[in-house]
Amino acid sequence: MQVLKDEVRLQILQAAEKLFCEKGFLETTKRGIAKEVGISVSNLYLYYENKEMLFNAVADPIFHEFVTGFQKLMTHEDQTEELNQNISFVIGKMIAVSKGKFLLIFEKSKGTRYEGFREEIIACVQKHVMEQMNDKVDDKALMAKIFAQNLIEGIIAVVKAHGSEEELQQNLQHLTNFYAEGIRQFLK
């Protein structure tokens, strides 16, 4: 019976994260991961039955951290200036810890259970915004969807472009200020 080693498991996860972040789920192979680690593909199968299990081992922690933080943000009323700072701070901290994994679940997860994650987050923001819109807005669903899509796409663009954590925080703050000021006139 083969003894599984924590050090090898960690090397596999690190190699998988690197390749998944570079190539995405569909273009990454178990052979490529095994080669990166310096083990055989059959040895890799002892640690992870399939590529999706390996992808989940890489993506699950950032997914759960992001969803937990995001849900906290969605339980507020949009009436204070602090909200903008909280959004940019919470999202910025989550992303700064693992930019690659954040982009992995948002952009490189096709073929996995995370494939629809971006759309789920957009729908969550859309629902939240719709609940807080005043009666001046005729087509709340459309306006909330446009707002949500643009906000999430803006966050992703900031993440891709930032160099340091400070730049990330600053640009997320600018982005949330921009959207908050624009939407404030439509809120209850």
Side-chain angles (χ1 to χ4, degrees):
M1 182 170 137
Q2 177 91 21
V3 177
L4 300 181
K5 299 176 183 148
D6 290 338
E7 181 180 316
V8 174
R9 184 179 304 278
L10 180 60
Q11 290 173 340
I12 291 169
L13 283 174
Q14 290 170 339
E17 179 179 338
K18 176 184 175 219
L19 293 175
F20 285 139
C21 287
E22 287 174 5
K23 299 178 177 186
F25 176 76
L26 293 178
E27 298 299 318
T28 299
T29 64
K30 286 193 82 171
R31 183 175 308 285
I33 295 167
K35 182 179 178 184
E36 184 82 19
V37 177
I39 61 174
S40 68
V41 175
S42 59
N43 198 13
L44 182 60
Y45 276 100
L46 294 173
Y47 291 87
Y48 295 96
E49 287 179 28
N50 57 51
K51 187 170 71 167
E52 186 150 9
M53 286 180 69
L54 186 50
F55 184 90
N56 293 341
V58 170
D60 281 351
I62 190 71
F63 170 79
H64 292 296
E65 183 179 340
F66 185 83
V67 168
T68 300
F70 198 76
Q71 286 172 338
K72 287 178 186 176
L73 290 173
M74 293 293 109
T75 59
H76 62 73
E77 294 293 323
D78 288 335
Q79 300 300 321
T80 68
E81 186 61 34
E82 286 180 13
L83 174 67
N84 299 352
Q85 293 171 351
N86 288 341
I87 291 172
S88 62
F89 181 77
V90 170
I91 292 174
K93 284 294 182 194
M94 288 186 291
I95 295 167
V97 169
S98 187
K99 173 184 173 181
K101 288 182 186 177
F102 175 83
L103 292 173
L104 178 66
I105 59 173
F106 270 95
E107 297 206 309
K108 300 197 177 205
S109 59
K110 187 172 183 177
T112 74
R113 67 181 182 205
Y114 298 110
E115 185 172 348
F117 181 64
R118 174 187 262 164
E119 290 73 25
E120 288 175 32
I121 292 296
I122 289 170
C124 180
V125 173
Q126 178 183 359
K127 180 179 181 271
H128 177 72
V129 169
M130 279 181 56
E131 290 170 353
Q132 296 190 42
M133 283 186 159
N134 62 37
D135 293 331
K136 293 182 208 172
V137 180
D138 293 329
D139 193 343
K140 291 181 182 179
L142 175 63
M143 296 311 296
K145 183 174 184 173
I146 292 169
F147 172 82
Q149 285 175 328
N150 289 332
L151 177 62
I152 297 304
E153 295 303 323
I155 290 170
I156 293 168
V158 167
V159 171
K160 287 178 172 180
H162 94 280
S164 68
E165 185 176 342
E166 184 178 327
E167 289 174 348
L168 173 66
Q169 290 291 349
Q170 184 178 36
N171 287 324
L172 284 173
Q173 185 66 54
H174 292 317
L175 181 70
T176 56
N177 286 344
F178 173 79
Y179 280 104
E181 288 307 312
I183 199 168
R184 197 172 306 278
Q185 63 185 313
F186 300 111
L187 300 179
K188 293 177 186 173

